[in-house]
Amino acid sequence: MASGVCHQLGTIAVAALSVCATCSASGSLLLASLQHTERGGSRTTTSERTTVFGFTNDIELGELHPTPRVLLFEDVVFGPDDVGTAFTSNAENESDFITFETLITDGKDSALSLASRLLDGGGFGIGTNESQIHPTEGMQYHVDQFGPDLIGYDVEYVELEFLLWNLSPSSDPLFVYHDITISILIYGQLIPEPSVSFLLVCAGMLALHARWASY
């Protein structure tokens, strides 16, 4: 009898693992996005640009939640020929990504910042609290929120892409305007709560275990 019950327990356990495997195999969701257009200028038409996105403790809006300086894409340099190319940051290629994910899913209303600069010219920086992100400011959430940030979600990777890089002359023949549009896309998964079927499986396993123990 004991061996039969153990076999039933093993069958139920395998079924539960199969359900979990199916859940984890689904595709990533677009959790949030930011698109920003800016004009800069330099003395050349081939100027390269650096762009960083993340948390910095020198830009804090609203309630203060001290955070470490965690910026993604610090080692990436773009040029006009990179328009349309997406650069990805994840736990495998950036040592700070795990800390970034922790901060953007901790339920605290911290400040996110986006900064970009031409290597031989000017730059810009913008920042806003996570709870104040909305489409009119260029960034929006694409999923239901359970707090001021992405708490309840597993952030898997972030993409940075230049959608536009136009050059135009200025009144100074030696000075060129660089009009750029930057896109940030944050992807991940909803952290699932235990489903009713999974809870029923667990209840069944406990009942079988109790029945086996009574013999």
Side-chain angles (χ1 to χ4, degrees), residues 132-154:
Q132 297 172 352
I133 294 173
H134 50 78
T136 59
E137 293 184 349
M139 184 156 181
Q140 56 185 313
Y141 292 108
H142 298 276
V143 291
D144 294 332
Q145 289 180 258
F146 309 105
D149 57 5
L150 288 171
I151 187 172
Y153 292 89
D154 175 26

Side-chain angles (χ1 to χ4, degrees), residues 88-184:
T88 301
S89 173
N90 55 40
E92 295 181 359
N93 60 20
E94 288 219 37
S95 59
D96 287 339
F97 186 85
I98 297 299
T99 305
F100 171 85
E101 180 189 10
T102 300
L103 293 174
I104 205 170
T105 59
D106 63 2
K108 296 180 180 179
D109 194 9
S110 303
L112 273 172
S113 64
L114 172 69
S116 183
R117 69 179 180 88
L118 292 166
L119 296 186
D120 61 352
F124 71 90
I126 59 173
T128 184
N129 275 73
E130 293 168 285
S131 66
Q132 297 172 352
I133 294 173
H134 50 78
T136 59
E137 293 184 349
M139 184 156 181
Q140 56 185 313
Y141 292 108
H142 298 276
V143 291
D144 294 332
Q145 289 180 258
F146 309 105
D149 57 5
L150 288 171
I151 187 172
Y153 292 89
D154 175 26
V155 176
E156 297 174 335
Y157 63 97
V158 179
E159 283 189 350
L160 169 65
E161 181 180 0
F162 278 104
L163 302 178
L164 176 72
W165 193 320
N166 285 339
L167 303 175
S168 57
S170 69
S171 56
D172 182 349
L174 300 178
F175 191 81
V176 180
Y177 288 124
H178 294 249
D179 297 299
I180 65 165
T181 299
I182 298 171
S183 171
I184 296 285

Side-chain angles (χ1 to χ4, degrees), residues 17-143:
L17 288 174
S18 299
V19 170
C20 293
T22 301
C23 294
S24 64
S26 59
S28 299
L29 301 173
L30 176 60
L31 305 181
S33 65
L34 180 152
Q35 185 170 308
H36 184 76
T37 300
E38 190 73 21
R39 165 167 283 192
S42 73
R43 296 287 179 180
T44 69
T45 60
T46 59
S47 179
E48 293 181 313
R49 177 178 289 272
T50 62
T51 298
V52 292
F53 173 71
F55 297 88
T56 174
N57 56 15
D58 59 0
I59 301 178
E60 288 291 348
L61 309 174
E63 293 185 21
L64 296 181
H65 294 291
T67 60
R69 183 179 183 275
V70 182
L71 298 175
L72 306 180
F73 306 106
E74 286 191 284
D75 297 328
V76 176
V77 178
F78 298 85
D81 293 338
D82 293 315
V83 170
T85 301
F87 293 82
T88 301
S89 173
N90 55 40
E92 295 181 359
N93 60 20
E94 288 219 37
S95 59
D96 287 339
F97 186 85
I98 297 299
T99 305
F100 171 85
E101 180 189 10
T102 300
L103 293 174
I104 205 170
T105 59
D106 63 2
K108 296 180 180 179
D109 194 9
S110 303
L112 273 172
S113 64
L114 172 69
S116 183
R117 69 179 180 88
L118 292 166
L119 296 186
D120 61 352
F124 71 90
I126 59 173
T128 184
N129 275 73
E130 293 168 285
S131 66
Q132 297 172 352
I133 294 173
H134 50 78
T136 59
E137 293 184 349
M139 184 156 181
Q140 56 185 313
Y141 292 108
H142 298 276
V143 291

